[in-house]
Amino acid sequence: MSKTIIVSNRLPISLRHRNGRFEFKPSAGGLATGLGSIYKEGENIWIGWPGNTVDDPEQRAEIILELHELKMAPVFLSKEDVEQFYEGFSNETLWPAFHYFTQYMVYNPEHWEAYVRVNQKFCDAILKKAGPEDTIWIHDYQLLLLPQMLREVLPNATIAFFQHIPFPSYEILRMIPWRKELLSGVCGADLIGFHTYDDMRHFLSAVGRITGLSNESGYIQAENRIINVDSFPMGIDYHKFAKQAKSKRTLRFVEEFGKQVEDQKLLLTIDRLDYSKGIPQRIQAFNQLLEQHPELHGKVSMIMIVVPSRDKVQSYKELKEEIDLLVGRINSEYSTLNWVPVHYFYRSFPFEELSAFYNMSDIALVTPLRDGMNLVCKEFVASKTDQTGVLILSEMAGASKELQDAILVNPNDRQGVVDAIYNALSMPQTEQIARMSSMQESLKKYDVFQWVKVFMDRLDHVKQKQEELTSKDVDAKVMNEIQTSFKKAKNAILFLDYDGTLTGFHSDPQKALPDTELKEIISDLSPKAQVVIISGRDKDTLGKWFEGQDIDMIAEHGVWVKRKEDKKTDWELYAEVEDSWKDDIRKVMEYYVLRTPGAFIEEKHHSLVWHYRKVESGLGDLRMRELFSHLKYMARGYNLQVLEGNMVLEIKRPDINKGRAATAMMKGIEYDFVLAIGDDWTDEDTFKAMPKNAYSIRVGYAYTQANYNIKSFRQVRQLLQKLTS
Ligand code: GDG
């Protein structure tokens, strides 16, 4: 039976040295809770680093056994791995880049090498456990290369990836020298998830620009399969927080802490020490509030919990010093004998105490400068069981997309944050309850268990979709069948499209000329079958490229034909063409060329084509859409058809197409073998026109009228070589 393997940099436990021995401390994090329903089932397992270095082989063996009992398997990292892969590339290159802190980015090739090496270590550890049919769900930015590493060894495995931190705009990503490797690494997955739509859209745009893989509605068309990219906002274990907030233990802490702060209004902030969390800016906003509102002195204080993190990294050390200084300054300026403005804790608290802080605080001030999701704000809302309290939330946190009933602030707008705190302090209770209950409803519904379920369902859906598309794959069996049938045939005809079918695309269309291999394939085939090159290209180009070959050619989607028997005669017009419409349309197209550097017009006998392959990605699509609607409007008057192709927009008469030309070519002749291969919508007309017994094949994995799909032009060449082998 197939199993599910969860993979993350850290296992949901921490391994600690104590008195020469090791002990495990389980993590109660949101992810561990949500995924508990998966990895604890059946043969499933969680693979990751236990969080400490272990060099002694005996100790390692002992740890493996103990973790096995907990349904986990360790990936051991050396001290150097931790420094270069984790602290280095992950936290000094990817983390700052993905949170838009480019000033902290380190570009160190040794760190990159370690990143590749450690991703490979994870891959090896997984391969020891994984079978070809297993599902592997990889988490987060430390393991971006892993999906593709696994895909290469397990081509049919179900691989999913979820990124917990933001995905930045292409402009930031492209600063990383290894951006292409990183993106190709993630694209080894079948499903790629982010917290928000913005992250997903940034990812798709970067993939398009850097790897050249295009997408439609979140589906990336990779060479041999589709990949789905979607947003899955992560929830929390709502009931755990709601229940804990009402528990006796927590209420006892609430009472105890309450005595110390008396009837002051409390502002709560909880973060891991990180520059992305905007901690200094928050202290400054609180300082400004006290400056502007002396009437609040002694009546409001801030509980600030900062959980130690990454304190070996220089930028984190500096941040810690800055926070210490700011807290010192505000407290020394405003404190009285019975009031301290900021209660600052640089440590973490047990869950019951954390819950007490959530429960007793009037306001949660969650103002990261950038945050993938942020669970603290959700935990605060779930813990407010009497529905009073106000959440102030940064627009830069993924959670702000869901929690629209919070007071949303721009963390860089200090006065805006000050005003938000002031408004929160004076918000009527009825409004607090209305906002809080609405947020609670949503968090209850989309909790972490729902998040896991929706993600897993989506993964099934992608696999099914892939299967539908590959069920028509030209595999070895189909290849043999086509070969046998070809060998038996007495009168065979092959309709072969050119660009994307017999050869790849080139940024300059005139440079995509046939190479020696292709010419040989055609020469080998032509004595044994009627070979028809059926293309949208103009007749002069086709004529020049296939000069001397014993083949038929149909150019411009069926406007022109050149038969092999009349080698000397010129091209024959296959369709009468009326082209008085061209002047008006050309003028419009020229206007769009002037506005779009890189665009150009190609004039064919029966059509005009607007090319945007060389236009800056994004701008090309935008202009094409504009031109499309413009031309569509004009096309009605002339009875023309506007069609979107591969980086082109073509306007032509609707009754001229490849299907019509192919039918005319076969008229009155009995063929006992018919094969048609093409890669885009213009070839769909050919496929539709084929007789029942024909083999029709579409290159790529798009939905098609053809009987089969084939991976790429390379496989087309293999198939054609096989016919004559
Ligand atoms: C990454 C992304 C995304 C904090 N202090 C204590 C404590 N915590 C717990 C909180 C919360 C968790 O730590 C922090 O979660 P966040 O979501 O805020 O932040 P990251 O750790 O940076 O997580 C983030 C997340 O992944 C999930 O996808 O939301 O954007 O950066 O659960 O409760 N827990 C205890 N004591 C503390 O003192 N027990």
Side-chain angles (χ1 to χ4, degrees):
M1 223 186 71
S2 64
K3 60 181 174 303
T4 299
I5 301 176
I6 304 288
V7 190
S8 62
N9 175 49
R10 284 292 305 272
L11 282 172
I13 48 106
S14 287
L15 181 65
R16 294 195 182 162
H17 298 267
R18 189 156 285 183
N19 307 328
R21 278 195 53 79
F22 283 102
E23 61 179 37
F24 298 111
K25 189 172 177 284
S27 139
L31 188 65
T33 315
L35 297 176
S37 57
I38 297 188
Y39 81 96
K40 290 181 182 158
E41 289 291 307
E43 292 297 297
N44 300 350
I45 188 166
W46 190 324
I47 297 180
W49 177 46
N52 222 319
T53 49
V54 185
D55 297 323
D56 177 7
E58 267 180 40
Q59 278 183 328
R60 282 191 177 191
E62 204 181 302
I63 290 166
I64 292 173
L65 279 180
E66 286 190 41
L67 284 177
H68 184 73
E69 294 297 307
L70 301 169
K71 316 257 346 234
M72 295 179 207
V75 178
F76 291 110
L77 301 185
S78 67
K79 203 165 154 274
E80 199 182 33
D81 289 340
V82 176
E83 278 167 16
Q84 298 184 339
F85 148 80
Y86 178 65
E87 288 158 12
F89 198 76
S90 301
N91 290 339
E92 288 185 326
T93 305
L94 295 178
W95 180 274
F98 285 21
H99 287 84
Y100 292 74
F101 282 85
T102 51
Q103 69 274 35
Y104 294 137
M105 282 169 77
V106 170
Y107 305 94
N108 183 335
E110 264 182 55
H111 289 181
W112 164 248
E113 278 161 31
Y115 188 79
V116 179
R117 181 177 74 232
V118 172
N119 271 253
Q120 191 60 54
K121 271 194 186 179
F122 271 80
C123 181
D124 297 343
I126 295 164
L127 291 175
K128 280 191 197 143
K129 307 274 174 195
E133 301 300 323
D134 287 344
T135 295
I136 305 167
W137 185 3
I138 302 160
H139 290 264
D140 233 359
Y141 66 103
Q142 300 92 349
L143 301 172
L144 293 172
L145 302 176
L146 188 52
Q148 183 56 26
M149 286 176 170
L150 287 166
R151 174 72 57 205
E152 275 158 26
V153 190
L154 301 171
N156 296 322
T158 301
I159 304 175
F161 177 83
F162 187 84
Q163 177 153 312
H164 291 263
I165 66 172
F167 197 90
S169 135
Y170 158 76
E171 288 300 331
I172 303 282
L173 190 80
R174 72 184 179 136
M175 294 171 75
I176 305 175
W178 308 279
R179 67 237 165 148
K180 191 163 184 185
E181 289 86 337
L182 292 167
L183 289 175
S184 309
V186 188
C187 285
D190 300 301
L191 176 64
I192 301 170
F194 297 97
H195 283 305
T196 70
Y197 169 70
D198 283 332
D199 299 323
M200 146 188 179
R201 144 179 107 68
H202 288 154
F203 177 77
L204 287 171
S205 139
V207 167
R209 283 160 180 245
I210 295 171
T211 70
L213 294 176
S214 61
N215 84 89
E216 219 180 294
S217 313
Y219 285 98
I220 297 177
Q221 180 71 60
E223 205 184 48
N224 55 352
R225 60 191 216 295
I226 51 157
I227 305 163
N228 189 200
V229 180
D230 210 338
S231 73
F232 303 88
M234 184 176 161
I236 55 167
D237 182 354
Y238 186 91
H239 290 291
K240 179 176 148 188
F241 284 90
K243 204 169 131 207
Q244 184 65 39
K246 287 190 286 194
S247 72
K248 278 206 185 112
R249 244 177 103 67
T250 287
L251 291 176
R252 225 178 294 136
F253 281 117
V254 171
E255 202 188 327
E256 192 186 311
F257 296 161
K259 278 185 204 145
Q260 293 164 43
V261 289
E262 295 181 335
D263 54 357
Q264 281 170 46
K265 290 277 184 191
L266 297 178
L267 251 94
L268 178 67
T269 90
I270 303 179
D271 312 88
R272 213 170 30 71
L273 177 73
D274 201 290
Y275 44 76
S276 65
K277 303 286 183 184
I279 305 171
Q281 291 81 348
R282 204 179 300 155
I283 306 170
Q284 279 157 347
F286 188 54
N287 188 54
Q288 194 159 310
L289 176 88
L290 297 180
E291 242 172 57
Q292 291 174 358
H293 297 281
E295 76 278 12
L296 295 177
H297 294 191
K299 300 209 172 83
V300 51
S301 55
M302 183 152 112
I303 300 176
M304 194 170 85
I305 300 171
V306 179
V307 181
S309 166
R310 304 179 194 173
D311 41 16
K312 293 202 185 76
V313 177
Q314 186 56 27
S315 48
Y316 287 73
K317 278 189 207 156
E318 286 166 13
L319 175 67
K320 168 75 171 47
E321 282 163 18
E322 189 185 356
I323 296 171
D324 290 353
L325 202 77
L326 286 169
V327 173
R329 210 177 281 161
I330 188 172
N331 279 349
S332 58
E333 188 168 344
Y334 294 104
S335 290
T336 59
L337 282 178
N338 55 3
W339 175 59
V340 180
V342 182
H343 300 273
Y344 169 38
F345 306 93
Y346 183 61
R347 57 173 192 262
S348 67
F349 286 87
F351 181 50
E352 311 77 63
E353 292 182 45
L354 184 81
S355 171
F357 285 125
Y358 282 142
N359 177 316
M360 67 195 283
S361 301
D362 302 282
I363 299 169
L365 190 54
V366 184
T367 53
L369 302 175
R370 193 69 63 168
D371 213 336
M373 171 51 71
N374 192 293
L375 300 179
V376 167
C377 59
K378 294 189 170 183
E379 295 167 2
F380 170 72
V381 171
S383 307
K384 301 307 284 180
T385 49
D386 68 357
Q387 300 189 320
T388 61
V390 183
L391 171 65
I392 300 175
L393 179 58
S394 161
E395 293 163 357
M396 310 297 172
S400 69
K401 308 285 177 338
E402 288 170 87
L403 300 176
Q404 294 283 327
D405 283 303
I407 300 184
L408 296 180
V409 291
N410 175 345
N412 303 305
D413 171 11
R414 191 172 303 162
Q415 188 58 47
V417 177
V418 171
D419 295 344
I421 304 174
Y422 189 78
N423 291 339
L425 287 168
S426 51
M427 187 183 281
Q429 221 185 46
T430 46
E431 186 179 343
Q432 292 181 28
I433 293 173
R435 286 174 181 253
M436 199 53 91
S437 56
S438 143
M439 291 191 284
Q440 288 181 344
E441 277 317 302
S442 153
L443 293 183
K444 253 185 237 171
K445 199 156 149 198
Y446 300 104
D447 67 5
V448 69
F449 306 105
Q450 180 68 8
W451 175 73
V452 171
K453 184 176 177 316
V454 169
F455 189 88
M456 284 312 209
D457 285 352
R458 194 71 195 164
L459 187 54
D460 281 346
H461 170 81
V462 186
K463 288 311 263 190
Q464 261 174 32
K465 217 167 156 140
Q466 285 178 348
E467 241 166 64
E468 277 167 33
L469 292 172
T470 52
S471 63
K472 301 204 296 184
D473 209 9
V474 178
D475 55 16
K477 192 169 150 251
V478 178
M479 275 222 191
N480 287 338
E481 185 193 315
I482 299 177
Q483 187 195 31
T484 315
S485 152
F486 181 76
K487 295 241 146 116
K488 275 199 251 155
K490 302 234 161 23
N491 196 14
I493 185 165
L494 315 180
F495 290 100
L496 306 175
D497 165 55
Y498 185 72
D499 293 274
T501 301
L502 294 177
T503 190
F505 287 101
H506 201 285
S507 57
D508 179 353
Q510 286 309 318
K511 290 205 173 127
L513 51 156
D515 53 27
T516 323
E517 182 189 64
L518 179 58
K519 284 184 178 160
E520 269 172 26
I521 292 174
I522 303 282
S523 324
D524 289 348
L525 276 171
S526 51
K528 300 186 178 111
Q530 182 179 351
V531 177
V532 187
I533 301 286
I534 183 164
S535 165
R537 289 234 177 214
D538 67 89
K539 64 180 182 9
D540 298 334
T541 307
L542 276 194
K544 196 165 74 196
W545 285 357
F546 290 98
E547 200 176 354
Q549 293 269 22
D550 209 10
I551 57 169
D552 295 308
M553 280 178 275
I554 293 172
E556 294 191 25
H557 300 118
V559 176
W560 298 99
V561 68
K562 190 167 166 46
R563 295 187 179 269
K564 61 179 170 186
E565 54 269 24
D566 21 83
K567 268 195 185 139
K568 294 218 178 62
T569 54
D570 210 359
W571 289 81
E572 153 197 352
L573 199 56
Y574 226 29
E576 271 314 315
V577 178
E578 196 279 308
D579 65 355
S580 58
W581 53 271
K582 277 189 176 165
D583 288 347
D584 284 352
I585 302 281
R586 195 185 302 104
K587 268 189 215 132
V588 174
M589 282 189 166
E590 270 161 7
Y591 170 67
Y592 283 84
V593 167
L594 288 178
R595 289 174 60 209
T596 319
F600 63 94
I601 300 169
E602 182 189 5
E603 177 155 357
K604 296 189 188 173
H605 200 277
H606 77 303
S607 72
L608 284 173
V609 190
W610 192 80
H611 286 257
Y612 63 100
R613 188 176 301 283
K614 290 186 192 165
V615 177
E616 179 189 356
S617 135
L619 177 68
D621 284 311
L622 181 79
R623 290 282 194 272
M624 186 274 286
R625 294 266 147 250
E626 237 182 285
L627 176 60
F628 191 90
S629 58
H630 201 149
L631 290 182
K632 247 194 141 162
Y633 173 74
M634 293 181 76
R636 267 182 248 143
Y638 292 104
N639 190 25
L640 296 167
Q641 185 184 24
V642 191
L643 292 163
E644 199 187 320
N646 194 317
M647 298 290 185
V648 296
L649 198 62
E650 179 152 16
I651 183 157
K652 67 181 206 35
R653 261 187 39 199
D655 52 342
I656 295 172
N657 63 53
K658 288 182 177 176
R660 179 179 172 277
T663 308
M665 181 68 84
M666 290 187 289
K667 201 166 171 205
I669 310 173
E670 278 284 312
Y671 290 100
D672 52 359
F673 179 92
V674 183
L675 171 68
I677 317 182
D679 76 309
D680 71 16
W681 52 269
T682 64
D683 303 301
E684 291 295 320
D685 290 321
T686 319
F687 302 147
K688 272 186 256 169
M690 288 297 109
K692 276 213 175 70
N693 61 344
Y695 292 101
S696 51
I697 306 176
R698 172 133 179 189
V699 184
Y701 289 86
Y703 282 106
T704 176
Q705 300 267 346
N707 319 125
Y708 296 100
N709 289 92
I710 198 163
K711 199 161 139 185
S712 76
F713 78 91
R714 286 190 198 86
Q715 278 68 33
V716 173
R717 289 187 181 193
Q718 273 173 19
L719 171 69
L720 296 178
Q721 278 164 335
K722 200 172 160 76
L723 296 185
T724 54
S725 68

